[in-house]
Amino acid sequence: LHIKLPWGAPHEEARAKRLAEGYDFVEVLPRMSLERVAQVLAGAQFVVSVDTGLSHLTAALDRPNVTLYGPTDPGLIGGYGKNQREMTSETHRMDAITADRIFQILKNDRYIDSF
């Protein structure tokens, strides 16, 4: 498993670097154009995203995706297409969505065998 973290603003880059710290399998990508991000997404085995334009781009590229929702309603703004899954927080807070829940979906859909 190799995780790639994109970013668009300096505070997102700082957060990505903090999240990647200490994990050899996590790569913070350089700043890229939207076209280059699309190329990375198109080559992904699967994507885990939050509700942003990149989640919709992933759906348009027909890549398997689990989109995480906190206070937003996926029924109103969610991605469409095959292999698009959603995970909504029961508390409407993103910190209530655990990595274990995400991995379980990915295992059930056979995108990963184990972690």
Side-chain angles (χ1 to χ4, degrees):
L1 184 64
H2 185 83
I3 298 171
K4 297 180 181 187
L5 300 175
W7 56 274
H11 72 280
E12 294 171 340
E13 178 186 24
R15 180 176 48 220
K17 287 180 177 178
R18 180 178 50 80
L19 292 170
E21 193 172 306
Y23 297 102
D24 294 336
F25 57 91
V26 180
E27 174 187 1
V28 176
L29 298 172
R31 184 172 177 92
M32 301 183 221
S33 67
L34 186 56
E35 179 181 1
R36 181 66 186 116
V37 172
Q39 291 171 344
V40 171
L41 292 172
Q45 180 180 351
F46 61 85
V47 176
V48 176
S49 64
V50 293
D51 179 33
T52 67
L54 295 183
S55 66
H56 295 280
L57 180 57
T58 300
L61 292 168
D62 198 27
R63 301 309 310 142
N65 186 25
V66 177
T67 304
L68 312 178
Y69 294 91
T72 56
D73 182 353
L76 297 175
I77 56 176
Y80 294 96
K82 68 177 189 174
N83 298 318
Q84 300 305 300
R85 301 284 306 269
E86 60 191 47
M87 181 177 290
T88 305
S89 168
E90 297 88 13
T91 65
H92 301 290
R93 292 178 45 94
M94 295 301 285
D95 60 2
I97 299 174
T98 66
D100 288 338
R101 286 181 60 204
I102 297 165
F103 284 124
Q104 192 59 50
I105 285 176
L106 296 171
K107 286 180 198 177
N108 289 346
D109 288 354
R110 301 182 193 275
Y111 293 115
I112 57 174
D113 293 324
S114 63
F115 188 78

Coordinates of all heavy atoms in Angstrom, one line a residue, residues 14-96:
A14 N 1.4 21.6 5.0 CA 1.9 21.4 6.4 C 1.2 20.2 7.0 O 1.8 19.3 7.7 CB 1.8 22.6 7.2
R15 N -0.1 20.1 6.8 CA -0.9 19.0 7.4 C -0.5 17.7 6.8 O -0.4 16.7 7.5 CB -2.4 19.3 7.2 CG -3.3 18.2 7.8 CD -4.8 18.5 7.7 NE -5.1 18.9 6.4 CZ -6.0 19.9 6.1 NH1 -6.6 20.5 7.1 NH2 -6.3 20.2 4.8
A16 N -0.4 17.7 5.5 CA 0.0 16.4 4.8 C 1.4 16.0 5.3 O 1.6 14.8 5.6 CB 0.1 16.7 3.3
K17 N 2.3 16.9 5.5 CA 3.6 16.5 6.0 C 3.5 15.9 7.4 O 4.2 15.0 7.8 CB 4.6 17.6 5.9 CG 5.1 17.9 4.5 CD 6.0 19.1 4.4 CE 6.5 19.3 3.0 NZ 7.4 20.5 2.9
R18 N 2.7 16.6 8.2 CA 2.5 16.1 9.6 C 1.9 14.7 9.6 O 2.3 13.8 10.3 CB 1.6 17.1 10.4 CG 1.3 16.7 11.8 CD 0.4 17.7 12.5 NE -0.8 18.1 11.8 CZ -1.9 17.4 11.8 NH1 -1.9 16.2 12.4 NH2 -3.0 17.8 11.2
L19 N 0.9 14.4 8.7 CA 0.2 13.1 8.7 C 1.2 12.1 8.2 O 1.1 10.9 8.6 CB -1.0 13.2 7.8 CG -2.2 14.0 8.3 CD1 -3.2 14.2 7.2 CD2 -2.7 13.4 9.5
A20 N 2.1 12.4 7.3 CA 3.0 11.5 6.7 C 4.2 11.1 7.5 O 4.9 10.1 7.3 CB 3.5 12.0 5.3
E21 N 4.5 12.0 8.5 CA 5.7 11.9 9.3 C 5.8 10.5 10.0 O 4.9 10.0 10.6 CB 5.7 12.9 10.4 CG 7.0 13.1 11.1 CD 7.0 14.3 12.0 OE1 6.7 15.4 11.5 OE2 7.2 14.1 13.2
G22 N 6.9 9.8 9.7 CA 7.2 8.5 10.3 C 6.6 7.3 9.5 O 6.8 6.2 10.0
Y23 N 6.0 7.6 8.4 CA 5.4 6.5 7.6 C 6.1 6.4 6.2 O 5.9 7.3 5.4 CB 3.9 6.6 7.4 CG 3.2 6.6 8.7 CD1 2.7 7.8 9.3 CD2 2.9 5.4 9.3 CE1 2.0 7.7 10.5 CE2 2.2 5.4 10.5 CZ 1.7 6.5 11.1 OH 1.0 6.5 12.3
D24 N 6.9 5.4 6.0 CA 7.6 5.2 4.8 C 6.7 5.0 3.6 O 7.1 5.3 2.4 CB 8.6 4.0 4.8 CG 9.7 4.3 5.8 OD1 10.0 5.4 6.1 OD2 10.3 3.3 6.3
F25 N 5.5 4.5 3.8 CA 4.5 4.3 2.7 C 3.6 5.4 2.4 O 2.7 5.3 1.5 CB 3.7 3.0 3.0 CG 2.9 3.1 4.3 CD1 1.6 3.6 4.3 CD2 3.5 2.7 5.5 CE1 0.9 3.8 5.5 CE2 2.7 2.8 6.7 CZ 1.4 3.4 6.7
V26 N 3.9 6.6 3.0 CA 3.1 7.8 2.7 C 4.0 8.8 2.0 O 5.0 9.2 2.5 CB 2.5 8.4 4.0 CG1 1.6 9.6 3.7 CG2 1.6 7.3 4.7
E27 N 3.5 9.3 0.9 CA 4.2 10.3 0.1 C 3.4 11.6 0.0 O 2.3 11.6 -0.4 CB 4.5 9.8 -1.3 CG 5.1 10.7 -2.3 CD 5.2 10.2 -3.7 OE1 4.7 9.1 -3.9 OE2 5.7 11.0 -4.5
V28 N 4.1 12.7 0.4 CA 3.4 14.0 0.2 C 3.8 14.5 -1.2 O 5.0 14.6 -1.5 CB 3.9 15.0 1.2 CG1 3.3 16.4 0.9 CG2 3.5 14.6 2.6
L29 N 2.8 14.6 -2.1 CA 3.1 15.0 -3.5 C 3.6 16.4 -3.6 O 3.2 17.2 -2.7 CB 1.8 14.7 -4.3 CG 1.4 13.3 -4.4 CD1 0.0 13.2 -5.1 CD2 2.4 12.4 -5.1
P30 N 4.3 16.8 -4.6 CA 4.7 18.2 -4.8 C 3.4 18.9 -5.2 O 2.4 18.4 -5.6 CB 5.7 18.1 -5.9 CG 5.4 16.9 -6.6 CD 4.9 15.9 -5.6
R31 N 3.5 20.2 -5.2 CA 2.4 21.1 -5.7 C 2.3 20.8 -7.2 O 3.3 20.7 -7.9 CB 2.7 22.5 -5.5 CG 1.6 23.4 -5.9 CD 1.8 24.9 -5.5 NE 0.8 25.7 -6.0 CZ -0.3 26.0 -5.3 NH1 -0.5 25.5 -4.1 NH2 -1.2 26.8 -5.8
M32 N 1.0 20.5 -7.6 CA 0.8 20.1 -9.0 C -0.4 20.9 -9.6 O -1.2 21.4 -8.9 CB 0.4 18.7 -9.1 CG 1.4 17.7 -8.6 SD 0.6 16.0 -8.9 CE 1.0 15.3 -7.4
S33 N -0.4 20.9 -10.9 CA -1.5 21.4 -11.7 C -2.7 20.4 -11.5 O -2.5 19.3 -11.2 CB -1.2 21.6 -13.1 OG -1.0 20.3 -13.8
L34 N -3.9 20.9 -11.8 CA -5.0 20.0 -11.7 C -4.9 18.9 -12.8 O -5.3 17.7 -12.5 CB -6.3 20.8 -12.0 CG -7.6 20.0 -11.8 CD1 -7.7 19.4 -10.5 CD2 -8.8 20.9 -12.1
E35 N -4.3 19.2 -13.9 CA -4.1 18.1 -14.9 C -3.2 17.0 -14.4 O -3.4 15.9 -14.6 CB -3.5 18.7 -16.2 CG -3.2 17.7 -17.3 CD -2.6 18.3 -18.5 OE1 -2.3 19.6 -18.5 OE2 -2.3 17.6 -19.4
R36 N -2.1 17.4 -13.7 CA -1.2 16.4 -13.1 C -1.9 15.6 -12.0 O -1.7 14.4 -11.9 CB 0.1 17.1 -12.6 CG 1.1 16.2 -12.1 CD 1.7 15.2 -13.1 NE 2.5 14.3 -12.5 CZ 2.3 12.9 -12.4 NH1 1.3 12.4 -13.0 NH2 3.1 12.2 -11.8
V37 N -2.7 16.3 -11.2 CA -3.4 15.6 -10.1 C -4.3 14.6 -10.8 O -4.4 13.4 -10.3 CB -4.2 16.6 -9.2 CG1 -5.1 15.8 -8.3 CG2 -3.2 17.5 -8.4
A38 N -5.0 14.9 -11.9 CA -5.9 14.0 -12.6 C -5.1 12.8 -13.1 O -5.6 11.7 -13.0 CB -6.6 14.7 -13.7
Q39 N -3.9 13.0 -13.5 CA -3.1 11.9 -14.0 C -2.8 10.9 -12.8 O -2.8 9.7 -13.0 CB -1.8 12.4 -14.6 CG -2.0 13.1 -15.9 CD -0.7 13.7 -16.4 OE1 0.2 14.0 -15.7 NE2 -0.7 14.1 -17.7
V40 N -2.5 11.5 -11.6 CA -2.2 10.7 -10.5 C -3.4 9.9 -10.1 O -3.4 8.7 -9.8 CB -1.6 11.5 -9.3 CG1 -1.6 10.7 -8.0 CG2 -0.3 12.1 -9.6
L41 N -4.6 10.6 -10.0 CA -5.8 9.9 -9.7 C -6.2 8.8 -10.7 O -6.6 7.7 -10.3 CB -7.0 10.9 -9.6 CG -6.9 11.9 -8.4 CD1 -8.0 13.0 -8.6 CD2 -7.0 11.2 -7.1
A42 N -6.0 9.1 -11.9 CA -6.3 8.1 -13.0 C -5.5 6.8 -12.8 O -6.0 5.7 -13.2 CB -6.1 8.7 -14.4
G43 N -4.3 6.9 -12.2 CA -3.5 5.7 -12.0 C -3.7 5.0 -10.6 O -3.0 4.1 -10.3
A44 N -4.6 5.6 -9.8 CA -4.7 5.1 -8.5 C -5.5 3.7 -8.5 O -6.5 3.6 -9.2 CB -5.5 6.1 -7.6
Q45 N -5.1 2.8 -7.6 CA -5.9 1.6 -7.4 C -7.2 1.9 -6.8 O -8.3 1.3 -7.1 CB -5.1 0.6 -6.5 CG -5.8 -0.7 -6.2 CD -5.0 -1.6 -5.3 OE1 -3.8 -1.3 -5.0 NE2 -5.6 -2.6 -4.9
F46 N -7.2 2.8 -5.8 CA -8.4 3.4 -5.2 C -8.1 4.7 -4.5 O -6.9 5.0 -4.4 CB -9.0 2.4 -4.2 CG -8.1 2.1 -3.0 CD1 -8.1 2.9 -1.9 CD2 -7.3 1.0 -3.0 CE1 -7.2 2.7 -0.8 CE2 -6.5 0.7 -2.0 CZ -6.4 1.5 -0.9
V47 N -9.1 5.5 -4.2 CA -8.9 6.8 -3.6 C -9.8 6.9 -2.4 O -10.9 6.4 -2.4 CB -9.3 7.9 -4.6 CG1 -9.2 9.3 -4.0 CG2 -8.4 7.8 -5.9
V48 N -9.3 7.5 -1.3 CA -10.1 7.9 -0.2 C -10.0 9.4 -0.2 O -8.9 10.0 -0.1 CB -9.5 7.3 1.1 CG1 -10.3 7.8 2.3 CG2 -9.6 5.8 1.1
S49 N -11.2 10.1 -0.2 CA -11.2 11.5 -0.3 C -12.2 12.1 0.6 O -13.1 11.4 1.2 CB -11.5 11.9 -1.7 OG -12.8 11.5 -2.1
V50 N -12.2 13.4 0.8 CA -13.2 14.1 1.5 C -14.0 14.8 0.4 O -13.7 14.8 -0.8 CB -12.7 15.2 2.5 CG1 -12.0 14.4 3.6 CG2 -11.7 16.1 1.8
D51 N -15.1 15.5 0.7 CA -16.0 16.1 -0.2 C -15.4 17.3 -0.8 O -15.6 18.4 -0.3 CB -17.3 16.4 0.5 CG -18.3 17.0 -0.5 OD1 -18.3 16.7 -1.7 OD2 -19.1 17.9 0.0
T52 N -14.6 17.1 -1.9 CA -14.0 18.3 -2.6 C -14.1 18.0 -4.1 O -14.6 16.9 -4.5 CB -12.5 18.4 -2.3 OG1 -11.8 17.3 -2.8 CG2 -12.2 18.5 -0.8
G53 N -13.7 18.9 -4.9 CA -13.6 18.7 -6.3 C -12.8 17.5 -6.7 O -13.2 16.9 -7.7
L54 N -11.8 17.2 -6.0 CA -11.0 16.0 -6.3 C -11.8 14.7 -6.2 O -11.6 13.8 -6.9 CB -9.7 15.9 -5.5 CG -8.7 17.1 -5.7 CD1 -7.5 16.8 -4.9 CD2 -8.4 17.2 -7.1
S55 N -12.8 14.7 -5.3 CA -13.6 13.5 -5.2 C -14.5 13.3 -6.4 O -14.7 12.2 -7.0 CB -14.5 13.4 -3.9 OG -15.4 14.5 -3.9
H56 N -15.0 14.5 -6.9 CA -15.8 14.4 -8.2 C -14.9 14.1 -9.4 O -15.4 13.4 -10.3 CB -16.5 15.8 -8.3 CG -17.5 16.0 -7.3 ND1 -18.8 15.4 -7.3 CD2 -17.4 16.7 -6.1 CE1 -19.4 15.8 -6.2 NE2 -18.6 16.6 -5.5
L57 N -13.7 14.6 -9.4 CA -12.7 14.3 -10.5 C -12.4 12.8 -10.5 O -12.4 12.1 -11.5 CB -11.5 15.1 -10.3 CG -10.4 14.9 -11.4 CD1 -10.9 15.1 -12.8 CD2 -9.2 15.8 -11.1
T58 N -12.3 12.2 -9.3 CA -12.0 10.8 -9.2 C -13.2 10.0 -9.7 O -13.0 9.0 -10.5 CB -11.8 10.4 -7.7 OG1 -10.7 11.1 -7.2 CG2 -11.6 8.9 -7.5
A59 N -14.4 10.4 -9.5 CA -15.6 9.8 -10.0 C -15.7 9.9 -11.5 O -16.0 8.9 -12.2 CB -16.9 10.4 -9.4
A60 N -15.3 11.1 -12.0 CA -15.3 11.3 -13.5 C -14.3 10.4 -14.2 O -14.5 10.0 -15.3 CB -15.0 12.8 -13.8
L61 N -13.2 10.1 -13.5 CA -12.1 9.3 -14.0 C -12.4 7.8 -13.8 O -11.6 6.9 -14.2 CB -10.8 9.6 -13.3 CG -10.2 11.0 -13.7 CD1 -9.1 11.3 -12.8 CD2 -9.8 11.0 -15.2
D62 N -13.6 7.5 -13.2 CA -14.0 6.1 -13.0 C -13.1 5.3 -12.1 O -12.9 4.1 -12.3 CB -14.3 5.4 -14.3 CG -15.1 4.2 -14.2 OD1 -16.0 4.1 -13.2 OD2 -15.0 3.3 -15.0
R63 N -12.5 6.0 -11.1 CA -11.6 5.3 -10.1 C -12.4 5.0 -8.9 O -13.3 5.8 -8.4 CB -10.4 6.1 -9.7 CG -9.5 6.6 -10.9 CD -9.1 5.4 -11.8 NE -8.5 4.3 -11.1 CZ -8.7 3.0 -11.5 NH1 -9.5 2.7 -12.5 NH2 -8.2 2.0 -10.8
P64 N -12.2 3.8 -8.3 CA -12.9 3.5 -7.0 C -12.6 4.5 -5.9 O -11.4 4.9 -5.8 CB -12.3 2.1 -6.6 CG -11.8 1.5 -7.9 CD -11.3 2.7 -8.7
N65 N -13.6 4.9 -5.2 CA -13.4 6.0 -4.3 C -14.4 5.9 -3.1 O -15.5 5.5 -3.2 CB -13.7 7.4 -5.0 CG -13.4 8.6 -4.1 OD1 -12.6 8.5 -3.2 ND2 -14.1 9.7 -4.4
V66 N -13.8 6.1 -1.9 CA -14.6 6.2 -0.7 C -14.5 7.7 -0.3 O -13.4 8.2 0.0 CB -14.1 5.3 0.5 CG1 -14.9 5.6 1.7 CG2 -14.1 3.9 0.1
T67 N -15.6 8.4 -0.4 CA -15.7 9.8 0.0 C -16.2 10.0 1.4 O -17.2 9.4 1.8 CB -16.5 10.6 -1.0 OG1 -16.1 10.4 -2.3 CG2 -16.5 12.1 -0.7
L68 N -15.5 10.7 2.2 CA -15.8 10.9 3.6 C -16.6 12.2 3.8 O -16.3 13.2 3.3 CB -14.6 11.0 4.5 CG -13.5 9.9 4.2 CD1 -12.3 10.1 5.1 CD2 -14.1 8.5 4.4
Y69 N -17.8 12.1 4.5 CA -18.6 13.2 4.8 C -18.8 13.4 6.3 O -19.1 12.5 7.0 CB -20.0 13.0 4.2 CG -20.0 12.9 2.7 CD1 -19.8 11.7 2.0 CD2 -20.1 14.1 1.9 CE1 -19.8 11.6 0.6 CE2 -20.1 14.0 0.5 CZ -19.9 12.8 -0.1 OH -19.9 12.7 -1.5
G70 N -18.7 14.7 6.7 CA -19.0 15.0 8.1 C -20.4 15.7 8.1 O -21.4 15.0 8.1
P71 N -20.4 17.0 8.1 CA -21.7 17.7 8.2 C -22.4 17.9 6.8 O -23.5 18.3 6.8 CB -21.3 19.1 8.7 CG -19.9 19.3 8.3 CD -19.2 17.9 8.3
T72 N -21.8 17.6 5.7 CA -22.4 17.7 4.4 C -23.3 16.5 4.1 O -23.0 15.4 4.6 CB -21.4 18.0 3.3 OG1 -20.4 16.9 3.3 CG2 -20.7 19.3 3.5
D73 N -24.2 16.7 3.2 CA -25.2 15.6 2.8 C -24.8 15.0 1.5 O -24.9 15.7 0.5 CB -26.6 16.2 2.8 CG -27.6 15.2 2.4 OD1 -27.3 14.0 2.1 OD2 -28.8 15.5 2.5
P74 N -24.3 13.8 1.5 CA -23.9 13.2 0.2 C -25.0 13.0 -0.8 O -24.8 13.0 -2.0 CB -23.3 11.8 0.6 CG -23.8 11.5 1.9 CD -24.1 12.9 2.6
G75 N -26.3 13.0 -0.3 CA -27.4 12.9 -1.2 C -27.6 14.2 -2.0 O -28.1 14.2 -3.1
L76 N -27.1 15.3 -1.6 CA -27.2 16.6 -2.3 C -25.9 16.8 -3.2 O -26.1 17.4 -4.2 CB -27.3 17.7 -1.3 CG -28.6 17.7 -0.4 CD1 -28.5 18.8 0.6 CD2 -29.8 17.8 -1.3
I77 N -24.8 16.4 -2.7 CA -23.6 16.9 -3.4 C -22.6 15.7 -3.6 O -21.5 15.9 -4.0 CB -22.8 18.0 -2.6 CG1 -22.5 17.5 -1.2 CG2 -23.6 19.2 -2.6 CD1 -21.7 18.5 -0.3
G78 N -23.0 14.5 -3.4 CA -22.1 13.3 -3.5 C -21.7 13.0 -5.0 O -22.3 13.5 -5.9
G79 N -20.7 12.2 -5.1 CA -20.2 11.8 -6.4 C -21.1 10.7 -7.0 O -21.7 10.0 -6.3
Y80 N -21.1 10.7 -8.3 CA -21.9 9.7 -9.0 C -21.0 8.8 -9.8 O -20.0 9.2 -10.3 CB -22.9 10.4 -9.9 CG -24.0 11.1 -9.2 CD1 -23.8 12.5 -9.0 CD2 -25.1 10.5 -8.6 CE1 -24.8 13.2 -8.2 CE2 -26.0 11.2 -7.9 CZ -25.9 12.6 -7.7 OH -26.8 13.3 -7.0
G81 N -21.4 7.6 -10.0 CA -20.7 6.6 -10.9 C -20.5 5.3 -10.2 O -20.7 5.2 -9.0
K82 N -20.0 4.3 -10.9 CA -19.8 3.1 -10.3 C -18.5 3.2 -9.4 O -17.7 4.0 -9.6 CB -19.6 2.0 -11.4 CG -18.4 2.1 -12.2 CD -18.3 0.9 -13.2 CE -17.0 0.9 -13.9 NZ -16.8 -0.3 -14.7
N83 N -18.5 2.3 -8.5 CA -17.4 2.2 -7.5 C -17.2 3.5 -6.7 O -16.1 3.8 -6.2 CB -16.0 1.9 -8.2 CG -16.0 0.6 -8.9 OD1 -16.5 -0.4 -8.4 ND2 -15.5 0.6 -10.2
Q84 N -18.3 4.2 -6.5 CA -18.3 5.4 -5.6 C -19.0 5.1 -4.3 O -20.2 4.7 -4.4 CB -18.9 6.6 -6.3 CG -18.3 7.0 -7.6 CD -16.8 7.3 -7.4 OE1 -16.4 8.2 -6.7 NE2 -16.0 6.6 -8.2
R85 N -18.3 5.1 -3.3 CA -18.8 4.8 -1.9 C -18.8 6.0 -1.1 O -18.0 6.9 -1.3 CB -18.0 3.7 -1.3 CG -17.9 2.3 -2.0 CD -19.1 1.5 -2.0 NE -19.6 1.3 -0.6 CZ -19.2 0.2 0.1 NH1 -18.4 -0.7 -0.4 NH2 -19.7 0.1 1.4
E86 N -19.6 6.0 -0.1 CA -19.6 7.2 0.8 C -19.6 6.7 2.3 O -20.1 5.6 2.6 CB -20.8 8.0 0.6 CG -22.1 7.3 0.8 CD -23.3 8.1 0.4 OE1 -23.3 8.6 -0.7 OE2 -24.3 8.1 1.2
M87 N -19.0 7.4 3.1 CA -18.9 7.1 4.5 C -19.3 8.4 5.2 O -18.6 9.4 5.1 CB -17.6 6.7 5.0 CG -17.5 6.3 6.5 SD -16.0 5.7 7.0 CE -16.0 4.1 6.2
T88 N -20.4 8.4 5.9 CA -20.9 9.6 6.6 C -20.7 9.4 8.1 O -21.1 8.4 8.7 CB -22.4 9.8 6.3 OG1 -22.5 9.9 4.9 CG2 -22.9 11.1 6.9
S89 N -20.3 10.4 8.8 CA -20.1 10.4 10.2 C -21.5 10.5 10.9 O -22.3 11.4 10.5 CB -19.3 11.6 10.7 OG -19.3 11.8 12.1
E90 N -21.7 9.6 11.9 CA -23.0 9.7 12.6 C -23.1 11.0 13.5 O -24.2 11.4 13.8 CB -23.1 8.5 13.6 CG -23.2 7.1 12.9 CD -21.8 6.5 12.6 OE1 -20.8 7.0 13.1 OE2 -21.7 5.6 11.8
T91 N -21.9 11.5 13.8 CA -21.9 12.7 14.7 C -21.8 14.0 13.9 O -21.7 15.1 14.4 CB -20.8 12.7 15.7 OG1 -19.5 12.7 15.0 CG2 -20.9 11.4 16.6
H92 N -21.6 13.9 12.5 CA -21.4 15.0 11.6 C -20.0 15.6 11.9 O -19.8 16.8 11.5 CB -22.5 16.0 11.7 CG -23.8 15.5 11.4 ND1 -24.2 15.1 10.1 CD2 -24.9 15.2 12.2 CE1 -25.4 14.6 10.1 NE2 -25.9 14.7 11.3
R93 N -19.1 14.9 12.5 CA -17.8 15.3 12.7 C -16.8 14.4 12.0 O -17.0 13.1 12.2 CB -17.4 15.4 14.2 CG -18.2 16.5 15.0 CD -17.9 16.4 16.5 NE -16.4 16.3 16.7 CZ -15.6 17.3 16.9 NH1 -16.0 18.6 16.9 NH2 -14.3 17.1 17.2
M94 N -15.9 14.9 11.3 CA -14.9 14.1 10.6 C -14.1 13.2 11.5 O -13.7 12.1 11.1 CB -14.0 14.9 9.7 CG -14.8 15.7 8.6 SD -15.7 14.6 7.4 CE -14.3 14.0 6.5
D95 N -13.8 13.6 12.7 CA -12.9 12.8 13.5 C -13.6 11.6 14.1 O -13.0 10.7 14.7 CB -12.4 13.7 14.7 CG -13.4 14.3 15.6 OD1 -14.6 14.1 15.4 OD2 -13.0 15.1 16.5
A96 N -14.9 11.5 13.8 CA -15.6 10.2 14.2 C -15.5 9.1 13.2 O -15.8 8.0 13.4 CB -17.1 10.5 14.3

